[in-house]
Amino acid sequence: MTTAPEQRASLSLRHSGSYAHTSSALQERPSGPAQQFSAVRRQSEQLCQPLTAEDMMVQSCDEASPVKWHMAHTTWFYETFILSQFDPSYRPFNSDFVWLFNSYYNSVSEHPEKKLRASFSRPSLESIFDYRRQVDGAVLRLLECSTGPELEEIETRVILGMNHEQQHQELLLTDIKHAFWTNPLHPVYGGPLRHESPAAAPLQWHSYDGGLREIGFAGEGFAFDNERPQHLEYLEPFALASRATSCSEYLEFMQSGGYGRPELWLSEGWDAVQAQGWRAPLYWHQDAGSGDWSVFTLRGRVSFSQIAETPVCHVSYFEADAFARWAGKSLPTEAEWETAAREQDVSGNLMESGELHPQAADVEGASPGSATPRQLFGDVWEWTRSPYVGYPRFEPLPGALGEYNGKFMCNQMVLRGGSVVTPQSHVRATYRNFFPAATRWQFSGIRLTKAL
Amino acid sequence: MTTAPEQRASLSLRHSGSYAHTSSALQERPSGPAQQFSAVRRQSEQLCQPLTAEDMMVQSCDEASPVKWHMAHTTWFYETFILSQFDPSYRPFNSDFVWLFNSYYNSVSEHPEKKLRASFSRPSLESIFDYRRQVDGAVLRLLECSTGPELEEIETRVILGMNHEQQHQELLLTDIKHAFWTNPLHPVYGGPLRHESPAAAPLQWHSYDGGLREIGFAGEGFAFDNERPQHLEYLEPFALASRATSCSEYLEFMQSGGYGRPELWLSEGWDAVQAQGWRAPLYWHQDAGSGDWSVFTLRGRVSFSQIAETPVCHVSYFEADAFARWAGKSLPTEAEWETAAREQDVSGNLMESGELHPQAADVEGASPGSATPRQLFGDVWEWTRSPYVGYPRFEPLPGALGEYNGKFMCNQMVLRGGSVVTPQSHVRATYRNFFPAATRWQFSGIRLTKAL
Amino acid sequence: MTTAPEQRASLSLRHSGSYAHTSSALQERPSGPAQQFSAVRRQSEQLCQPLTAEDMMVQSCDEASPVKWHMAHTTWFYETFILSQFDPSYRPFNSDFVWLFNSYYNSVSEHPEKKLRASFSRPSLESIFDYRRQVDGAVLRLLECSTGPELEEIETRVILGMNHEQQHQELLLTDIKHAFWTNPLHPVYGGPLRHESPAAAPLQWHSYDGGLREIGFAGEGFAFDNERPQHLEYLEPFALASRATSCSEYLEFMQSGGYGRPELWLSEGWDAVQAQGWRAPLYWHQDAGSGDWSVFTLRGRVSFSQIAETPVCHVSYFEADAFARWAGKSLPTEAEWETAAREQDVSGNLMESGELHPQAADVEGASPGSATPRQLFGDVWEWTRSPYVGYPRFEPLPGALGEYNGKFMCNQMVLRGGSVVTPQSHVRATYRNFFPAATRWQFSGIRLTKAL
Amino acid sequence: MTTAPEQRASLSLRHSGSYAHTSSALQERPSGPAQQFSAVRRQSEQLCQPLTAEDMMVQSCDEASPVKWHMAHTTWFYETFILSQFDPSYRPFNSDFVWLFNSYYNSVSEHPEKKLRASFSRPSLESIFDYRRQVDGAVLRLLECSTGPELEEIETRVILGMNHEQQHQELLLTDIKHAFWTNPLHPVYGGPLRHESPAAAPLQWHSYDGGLREIGFAGEGFAFDNERPQHLEYLEPFALASRATSCSEYLEFMQSGGYGRPELWLSEGWDAVQAQGWRAPLYWHQDAGSGDWSVFTLRGRVSFSQIAETPVCHVSYFEADAFARWAGKSLPTEAEWETAAREQDVSGNLMESGELHPQAADVEGASPGSATPRQLFGDVWEWTRSPYVGYPRFEPLPGALGEYNGKFMCNQMVLRGGSVVTPQSHVRATYRNFFPAATRWQFSGIRLTKAL
């Protein structure tokens, strides 16, 4: 990896620097798709900077993929859905890559079982970077040479491809976190935590009227098919917590026996608690002797006190739901969440902060009479109590791209708002993330709500 | 079993008789809870009439329980939630039964693993019938002797217990159907099919306006906690198919390669097709030589032509969804279904018909300009595309009874309308049944819808 | 079952009676195969006497079959291998039974998966008894009417069938023990334990010279193919323990942490300890409060003190091996065991004792200078350290009967000597029983040996 | 890896060179343990020469480990059992490595689950090579500075460690073969096959008398504890096939329906055939169109004709046993095999040949009247019909080293003779290899025998 020229400008995660200038580049929204494309591509490679080729081989759980695979698959997406279709002169970098790096698009080709990805020692990491360079060049040339409606379609797909790649940037970080945690030596991705966590602001409630609300995406710009069409939903009045649930609050739930009281749990959640032996969020560890908790992060293992006031994360829907029941509250529906979030700009502790871990919503930032909840964007994905289904009149994209979202609309729950490893330009108020209820390897946390 | 006096009046399933007078007894809604209670209790025992004590031991799949267990557990429900709480003089029939026949109420007691139920050779069937008699007598005495608010609460619980027992009546029939199908000799529960199936009426579409609709139960009388509270939902205009999808129509889907085309399936459904080797609905069998299909029913194995025009049943949500996608339509939401159904009385091919298998919605019954869909009640449970969640402001029943419904609100899909083995007095327009998407052992079928 | 005439003479297991006269009948070895055949058939039915039709449906673990199935399958054996082949006028009792009650003879017919046996509510128990009667009559007539070499072959097969049935008599008792233990009510098969267990005689060692020994069966009379041919094996000098290991001795192993010390276990055994959570023999239960042990037997649950001095049973090979290593001894090879046993008559606490549980080798029976070990026959099957393989020049029986033993010669260990539920006339010094090393549902125990 | 100085002298597997001078170095048996130690250490590193750091991360089946792990674990063995015990000044290279690279020695330390080895991206390959260098230096110094009985014990352990490392050299090659086969691109370890396979010599039989034979190791020099003590076994007269079974011969078995005839298989083998879908040896592939077979080797995929006459390999014991039954012969016992082998020198197609695939026992080498079988050493490990048990009076090594062999003496079968990836100096006539009966990832083949 040391030879990849992209890395010369990379930001050091090991030191106190931040993603600042990349981030500002993205925030400035460079005018053209070409510049945006280049920035996204560069970002992926910067994320690999602390990693060795060996690190990028590891696939440590069913949900995860090796980092090297992410780097190849994101490239495959542009090759398959843009270059092969719009550039008659384009020759695939390697005819095997066409099926080798297909994830799950049955309409495109046969593809290897997910678990085999850990065996892809060949192609080498170097050849994956060569692959990236060839595709990058070809995409940029295509953008430059195309015109008219074809250019429009190409740009549309480039933007889809960038959003696709941003999802994999996030996965790359969640996957390497799990990989490093699985390794008994617990390697560290970034440097030590930068700040002592301040005290989180006291929990308040923000009220919202009931009535018909427009839900889903209808404006200009990019959104996934699953955010459309905009439609009406009827809401009852509700109140939303002013911030995400903190580790301290969650520890109270644990200390009151939360993991041992079946009445707090969904039946399937209770089964998971028994079968998996859950006693705390993923990555929490209790010292057998002292009883003290510590937490594994992308910046190494830290003592509980260092993150006590930060949002709890790596909890499953089952845990979020049980916590809410214990607290006498509930989780929001996605329509409730969206209603609150559309009043706000997208900002918060997102990937560009370079923090790599959720931060406390501290007292300073919280004007006591603030009319809006904080931390809706960034820090942790917030489990909603809404199962993931298509909106009324939902239409998947035509062709193979229709497999992107629609076929997963079963037995998953919606999460909203992005996390500390979500790129800022990737998320918005209407954005719908989704995972099965037992999922814990994501930066997933809790926002409480209550009916009024 | 031959000594149970209840059975002298039982209707012979082996002959052409029907459940008519029982049915009418229920339809007349005998004025008092005591009479209704007795009728429900008698009905359960009549359903056992074609069965031997050995048949009542079989537990042939994870979803099912032995019939003997159903007979005991329904009795346990009254003993636990009524007699033990309202009759200070009551002594449990057998102190072991208190935990032995608990299904899943963690708040009541420890309970045996479900799969152990097949080992309950003791208590004997005879003692289960003795248990029923003691509990029946005690419940009736309690109803007679109680007064005031206590009587009211007792009556409420008796009615809950009756509805609980009716659910187990339906399960009893679905479970014994599976048990007899598992037995390589394929025993028959009822006599042969009574009718040749007539041609099903042509499929038509009934249109419904969009707008705010009241969904859920708000009236007098019994409803489960999960049907409450009534609340508003906003619907887009839609049209509902005039009848359930027939076996012939489903065979077309199969013959067009439906089970081999991943683009028609949810991702998890496609996995189930591969893992389970699904190629047809449960209970369908294709002769290796002739290629002819036959179908196992509670009235024995019948040729495909005998049921070709009847509603397809024993399909999973995944199959219903794939069929709808293939047909270019979709499945209704539960709000759409309920909107259509609340205009109708509860009538149809339900348990009291004694048919034991869905029937064709034949041409005669269908006035071409009929304003309402047929078969909404009875024949087959209709999969909706709505995941099973609590309605806004849903509150489970207090105490252990709160475990009845609420804790299952995850990873299940709602079905509506009842089937040919659902008691008529048990179902209504607001009634919500729910099963995991891969479930096939129920009489579950397909009703199409389309957006307007 | 109450109509089966065979049962009129049955011995009551619930009272203090014993199998005495049946036993002596067998011991006298009635001269003809017909009489022996009738006695074995009667014995099977007597074993069912304490059982209901419902009991006979239960199949509570992978190793077990329902008792009803044993009653049918043993009958099928005579029908398939004798009547269908030697009696041209014979018509099968039911053409479905021909494949339905085949256990694993691939050469005979397709057969149902073993786990389906629990679904065989039909045929009813009564029809199985009718089946038995028809086959009994036909076999007896065939024995009477046949002559010459054909009679010889028929007699050979009747004797094989009887030995086969005796194996299933033993399985019937081990299977119903497991079934009753699985039932949370723990029903009791026989009456209470008859005796207080006396103190076991002190353990002594009996020495044997090394040298070439004849191993295997060579004499007149019946033996299974796997006992042949007799051949030479070279033994080193060894000593054999004077009796089986007692429960008290095994408890010492447990109390010294035996189940928690990996160095005592075979690698695969240690894995089994972890995966299965073994902490004691099967059927042992420790009271959470008092720490006292009790043991489930065919005569109900008894306190540890009642069986402390009896041979430990229901241990796996892994446990027997770990115990031996802990004791600084080893388990015998089957050749060592056979060398010691061939000096003795077959007698001991076998099925005919009616004890239904191993008994202590008490002091009285043990003359201090006794030259021979006790309890070689009966009480518990003794795990040897010999894997089950064919003897040199082993030839399976021709045809389908060749599937009887040979195809199991892999990944099983040999046990010797019979247990308290083995019929006396069934076992002998050369008899080889075999089970996988993790098996515990058999009456399997421990005999120590040491090299000299 | 490119920095490892050991590799400068490495033999190129991609060209026609051979391991000749390494091999001769080993064959010459350099007088001192220090030289032997250095040669073995160098050999391991040469085997890595064609591999990248990414290749060395792959763990593609339960049996296998990543190559990097083999390189570390073999080093750990010397550090743990020699340096830590005999060199008071020695400081572990890294205190985490002490438990991280423990395979299964419970007595030494806790150790990570085997499947986690694929997550060991850290320590890096470079640091593993540093680890090797530190340990190599320390071992050589210790050998130089020690004297007397301590030197003797150190030398004994160094020799054990070298033999341990040679086992891992073999595993390294079998594991990378599986890894490359799992990779859908099928990378190639060595260059193309060197030779066209000549016709195999016709099969002949070599006869051996029966009688008492000395089995096991008793001489000077190194042998594993499981080869001791030498003892007597009584053999019946037998004949051994003159060479291993060829691919052509095995194809005949396949073409006669061998995989579809249950009567040819052990019961557990037949289950494996069904469950695993075995239809040919591992690594064989049949083209769906032409029906032609090809075979994946360490030298890439080759057509069947290229290896038709070479010994069949990568068959399980179950397949070897079924083939022998089909051929009307059997597999040898390990005593039979050893009796034949001890008359021969250890030579054949072993690792030092550099062939990387079994070779045909061609006509030229076979003098028709030759008194001894060929290919006993090298080409393929030969499954015997002997379960792996301890010899009479077997004593494991004291302490943790006792876990080396003894605890695996259950449910495994013995293989003899070494394969094309076994180092020549590692194997001998008394050498006992062992694997579970379903194992196929080893170079395991078939030698027939028959009773006389």
Side-chain angles (χ1 to χ4, degrees), chain A residues 365-385:
Chain A
S367 39
S370 163
T372 54
R374 301 169 66 199
Q375 289 185 315
L376 285 173
F377 296 104
D379 287 310
V380 291
W381 285 102
E382 300 177 8
W383 284 108
T384 73
R385 70 174 193 264

Side-chain angles (χ1 to χ4, degrees), chain C residues 94-151:
Chain C
N94 180 321
S95 60
D96 283 324
F97 287 17
V98 170
W99 54 269
L100 190 67
F101 294 118
N102 180 356
S103 52
Y104 57 66
Y105 295 82
N106 293 307
S107 320
V108 171
S109 63
E110 294 284 312
H111 45 83
E113 271 187 277
K114 182 171 182 182
K115 67 176 179 184
L116 288 188
R117 294 173 189 168
S119 76
F120 295 0
S121 63
R122 318 281 177 95
S124 71
L125 183 59
E126 273 177 335
S127 69
I128 299 304
F129 273 88
D130 289 344
Y131 178 37
R132 290 183 70 89
R133 272 186 289 272
Q134 165 169 325
V135 166
D136 286 358
V139 167
L140 290 172
R141 273 190 302 280
L142 188 64
L143 282 170
E144 209 172 295
C145 307
S146 305
T147 53
E150 186 160 296
L151 175 59

Side-chain angles (χ1 to χ4, degrees), chain D residues 109-145:
Chain D
S109 63
E110 295 285 312
H111 45 83
E113 272 187 275
K114 182 170 184 184
K115 67 176 178 185
L116 289 188
R117 294 173 188 168
S119 77
F120 295 2
S121 62
R122 317 281 176 96
S124 70
L125 183 59
E126 272 177 337
S127 69
I128 298 304
F129 273 88
D130 289 344
Y131 179 36
R132 292 183 69 91
R133 270 186 293 269
Q134 166 169 325
V135 167
D136 287 357
V139 168
L140 290 172
R141 272 190 303 278
L142 189 64
L143 283 171
E144 212 172 291
C145 307

Side-chain angles (χ1 to χ4, degrees), chain D residues 163-447:
Chain D
N163 276 277
H164 172 259
E165 183 150 3
Q166 288 180 314
Q167 290 180 319
H168 283 276
Q169 289 169 0
E170 176 162 354
L171 288 170
L172 184 161
L173 288 167
T174 47
D175 291 358
I176 201 69
K177 181 171 184 179
H178 195 274
F180 278 178
W181 174 74
T182 303
N183 184 324
L185 298 182
H186 291 325
V188 173
Y189 176 81
L193 272 194
R194 298 172 180 175
H195 324 285
E196 275 307 296
S197 165
L203 198 74
Q204 296 176 299
W205 295 94
H206 298 275
S207 300
Y208 295 85
D209 292 336
L212 276 173
R213 295 288 171 269
E214 288 180 332
I215 300 297
F217 190 86
E220 295 282 300
F222 176 80
F224 282 107
D225 56 2
N226 64 9
E227 301 170 56
R228 303 173 189 264
Q230 197 177 72
H231 61 284
L232 293 174
E233 291 195 34
Y234 184 83
L235 302 191
E236 314 253 343
F238 67 99
L240 205 62
S242 57
R243 57 164 173 76
T245 297
S246 71
C247 290
S248 290
E249 288 160 348
Y250 196 82
L251 186 64
E252 270 184 73
F253 163 73
M254 290 164 53
Q255 288 173 339
S256 80
Y259 280 93
R261 294 169 54 188
E263 73 274 16
L264 296 176
W265 295 78
L266 287 164
S267 177
E268 203 175 305
W270 182 244
D271 293 347
V273 167
Q274 310 306 308
Q276 310 297 329
W278 289 344
R279 292 292 171 266
L282 182 62
Y283 300 131
W284 288 36
H285 174 77
Q286 188 171 32
D287 185 81
S290 67
D292 291 344
W293 289 96
S294 61
V295 177
F296 179 76
T297 76
L298 280 168
R299 297 186 176 281
R301 185 165 288 287
V302 301
S303 69
F304 184 80
S305 65
Q306 290 180 271
I307 51 81
E309 298 289 298
T310 66
V312 65
C313 65
H314 300 293
V315 293
S316 64
Y317 175 73
F318 294 128
E319 289 161 299
D321 169 80
F323 176 84
R325 193 167 291 111
W326 171 80
K329 303 294 183 300
S330 58
L331 303 176
T333 64
E334 57 172 330
E336 288 167 353
W337 191 96
E338 185 172 326
T339 298
R342 57 194 324 166
E343 302 171 359
Q344 301 193 9
D345 286 340
V346 176
S347 76
N349 181 18
L350 290 144
M351 184 198 270
E352 289 77 4
S353 76
E355 294 286 352
L356 298 173
H357 202 75
Q359 300 296 314
D362 60 20
V363 181
E364 281 175 50
S367 42
S370 162
T372 56
R374 301 170 65 200
Q375 290 184 314
L376 284 173
F377 295 105
D379 288 310
V380 291
W381 285 103
E382 299 177 9
W383 285 108
T384 74
R385 71 174 193 265
S386 299
Y388 178 52
V389 294
Y391 287 154
R393 299 171 192 274
F394 164 67
E395 290 289 346
L397 292 176
L401 287 171
E403 297 187 52
Y404 201 109
N405 281 309
K407 72 181 182 183
F408 302 108
M409 289 177 172
C410 186
N411 293 343
Q412 311 221 30
M413 301 301 290
V414 172
L415 303 96
R416 292 295 194 111
S419 79
V420 64
V421 292
T422 308
Q424 182 178 14
S425 61
H426 182 66
V427 77
R428 67 208 138 252
T430 58
Y431 192 97
R432 307 173 80 196
N433 200 353
F434 49 91
F435 286 105
T439 307
R440 315 209 307 167
W441 108 117
Q442 276 292 315
F443 287 84
S444 46
I446 306 170
R447 163 96 49 183

Side-chain angles (χ1 to χ4, degrees), chain B residues 198-202 204 206 242-243 344 347 359-375:
Chain B
Q204 295 176 300
H206 298 276
S242 57
R243 57 165 174 75
Q344 300 194 11
S347 76
Q359 299 296 312
D362 60 18
V363 181
E364 280 175 51
S367 40
S370 163
T372 55
R374 302 169 64 199
Q375 288 185 316

Side-chain angles (χ1 to χ4, degrees), chain B residues 48-369:
Chain B
C48 300
Q49 196 270 343
L51 304 177
T52 67
E54 291 156 282
D55 294 333
M56 294 170 74
M57 284 290 295
V58 180
Q59 180 178 33
S60 57
C61 62
D62 291 346
E63 292 98 340
S65 296
V67 171
K68 182 163 77 168
W69 183 88
H70 287 300
M71 299 304 281
H73 168 67
T74 48
T75 306
W76 169 92
F77 193 93
Y78 304 104
E79 192 180 64
T80 300
F81 293 115
I82 301 174
L83 298 175
S84 298
Q85 298 187 25
F86 295 92
D87 182 350
S89 71
Y90 184 77
R91 291 292 158 269
F93 178 79
N94 180 321
S95 59
D96 283 325
F97 288 18
V98 171
W99 54 268
L100 190 66
F101 293 118
N102 182 357
S103 52
Y104 56 67
Y105 294 84
N106 293 308
S107 319
V108 172
S109 63
E110 295 285 312
H111 43 85
E113 271 188 276
K114 182 171 183 182
K115 67 175 181 186
L116 288 188
R117 295 173 188 168
S119 76
F120 294 1
S121 63
R122 316 282 176 94
S124 72
L125 184 59
E126 272 176 336
S127 70
I128 298 304
F129 272 90
D130 289 344
Y131 179 36
R132 291 183 69 90
R133 271 186 291 270
Q134 165 171 323
V135 167
D136 287 357
V139 167
L140 290 172
R141 274 191 302 280
L142 188 64
L143 283 171
E144 211 171 292
C145 306
S146 307
T147 55
E150 186 158 296
L151 176 58
E152 219 166 289
E153 179 61 19
I154 291 167
E155 286 186 352
T156 299
R157 294 195 175 200
V158 166
I159 290 167
L160 179 62
M162 287 160 46
N163 276 277
H164 172 258
E165 182 149 5
Q166 287 181 314
Q167 290 180 319
H168 283 276
Q169 288 169 1
E170 176 162 353
L171 288 170
L172 183 161
L173 288 168
T174 46
D175 291 358
I176 200 70
K177 180 171 183 177
H178 194 274
F180 278 179
W181 173 74
T182 304
N183 184 322
L185 299 181
H186 292 324
V188 174
Y189 175 82
L193 272 194
R194 297 169 180 178
H195 325 285
E196 275 304 297
S197 166
L203 197 73
Q204 295 176 300
W205 295 93
H206 298 276
S207 299
Y208 296 84
D209 293 336
L212 277 173
R213 295 287 172 268
E214 289 180 331
I215 299 297
F217 190 84
E220 297 281 301
F222 176 80
F224 282 107
D225 56 1
N226 65 9
E227 301 171 56
R228 301 173 192 266
Q230 198 176 71
H231 61 284
L232 293 174
E233 291 196 31
Y234 184 82
L235 302 191
E236 314 253 345
F238 68 98
L240 207 61
S242 57
R243 57 165 174 75
T245 297
S246 70
C247 290
S248 289
E249 289 160 346
Y250 195 83
L251 186 64
E252 269 183 73
F253 162 74
M254 288 163 54
Q255 288 173 339
S256 79
Y259 281 93
R261 294 168 53 189
E263 72 275 16
L264 296 176
W265 295 80
L266 287 164
S267 177
E268 205 174 304
W270 182 244
D271 292 347
V273 167
Q274 309 308 307
Q276 311 297 328
W278 290 345
R279 293 292 171 264
L282 183 63
Y283 299 133
W284 288 36
H285 175 76
Q286 187 171 33
D287 185 81
S290 67
D292 292 344
W293 289 96
S294 60
V295 176
F296 179 74
T297 77
L298 280 167
R299 295 184 176 284
R301 185 166 287 286
V302 301
S303 69
F304 185 81
S305 65
Q306 288 180 271
I307 50 83
E309 298 289 298
T310 65
V312 65
C313 65
H314 300 294
V315 291
S316 64
Y317 174 74
F318 294 128
E319 288 161 300
D321 169 81
F323 176 84
R325 192 167 291 113
W326 171 81
K329 304 292 184 298
S330 60
L331 303 176
T333 65
E334 59 171 330
E336 288 168 352
W337 191 97
E338 185 172 325
T339 297
R342 53 195 324 165
E343 302 170 359
Q344 300 194 11
D345 287 341
V346 176
S347 76
N349 181 19
L350 290 144
M351 184 197 270
E352 290 77 2
S353 75
E355 293 287 352
L356 297 173
H357 202 74
Q359 299 296 312
D362 60 18
V363 181
E364 280 175 51
S367 40

